[in-house]
């Protein structure tokens, strides 16, 4: 077998591996979106200067964050809906690769800082209204 054939086989294997990886990411995104709206966002945990790109899902009872490159369908971070508050956007926008223009907001619960999120301006009203609305089944017997 010549060196050229070895290089061709390695390039073919690399292309196939890349194609499989893209299909797996696409299938994962579809599986995540099956349980609620999913939008791109970035997360910064308290005390960390680094933003991590991911996907935000608004479920019935939880706000879930998933790492963008992971293979699992379980959230990396999850916050219960009850008592969760979101701040108004900070002035200016955050510049992050993968997000065109992003607004920085803070997630808190009873005064405790949980995380900072960078979300697109069109997504902010959706997340805010989701947090301010009553969860499904909450106070269903109110007369």
């Amino acid at each position: 077998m010549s060196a050229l054939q070895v290089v061709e086989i390695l390039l073919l294997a690399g292309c196939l591996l890349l194609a499989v990886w893209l299909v797996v990411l696409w299938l994962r995104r579809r599986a995540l979106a099956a349980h609620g709206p999913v939008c791109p966002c970035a997360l910064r945990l308290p005390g960390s200067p680094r933003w991590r790109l991911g996907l935000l899902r608004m479920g019935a009872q939880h706000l879930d964050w998933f790492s963008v490159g992971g293979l699992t369908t379980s959230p990396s971070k999850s916050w219960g809906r009850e008592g969760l508050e979101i701040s108004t956007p900070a002035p200016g926008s955050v510049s992050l690769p993968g997000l065109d223009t992003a607004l920085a907001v803070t997630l808190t619960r009873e005064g405790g800082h949980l995380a900072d999120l960078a979300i697109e301006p069109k997504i902010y009203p959706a997340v805010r209204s989701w947090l301010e609305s009553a969860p499904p089944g909450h106070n269903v017997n109110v007369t």
Side-chain angles (χ1 to χ4, degrees):
M1 193 182 275
S2 71
L4 183 60
Q5 289 175 327
V6 171
V7 170
E8 287 176 347
I9 291 172
L10 289 176
L11 284 175
L12 178 63
C15 289
L16 287 175
L17 188 63
L18 179 64
V20 167
W21 178 257
L22 290 174
V23 168
V24 166
L25 287 180
W26 179 74
L27 289 172
R28 177 181 178 251
R29 171 98 186 226
R30 287 187 51 93
L32 295 179
H35 300 289
V38 176
C39 60
C41 77
L43 172 77
R44 182 173 60 188
L45 295 173
S48 173
R50 187 174 142 228
W51 288 97
R52 296 173 48 201
L53 196 59
L55 300 170
L56 189 67
R57 180 176 67 190
M58 295 172 276
Q61 301 295 329
H62 293 89
L63 186 64
D64 299 325
W65 183 83
F66 301 88
S67 176
V68 76
L71 295 176
T72 180
T73 56
S74 59
S76 299
K77 295 289 177 186
S78 184
W79 302 281
R81 185 177 191 162
E82 190 142 342
L84 191 62
E85 295 178 12
I86 189 170
S87 70
T88 57
S93 62
V94 178
S95 178
L96 296 169
L99 294 174
D100 293 334
T101 57
L103 303 174
V105 295
T106 302
L107 286 178
T108 58
R109 175 173 283 128
E110 298 173 7
H113 181 235
L114 299 174
D116 294 321
L117 292 177
I119 55 177
E120 294 179 348
K122 63 183 177 185
I123 301 299
Y124 173 73
V127 175
R128 184 154 195 99
S129 63
W130 175 84
L131 282 173
E132 292 175 352
S133 64
H138 187 65
N139 290 334
V140 292
N141 296 324
V142 176
T143 55

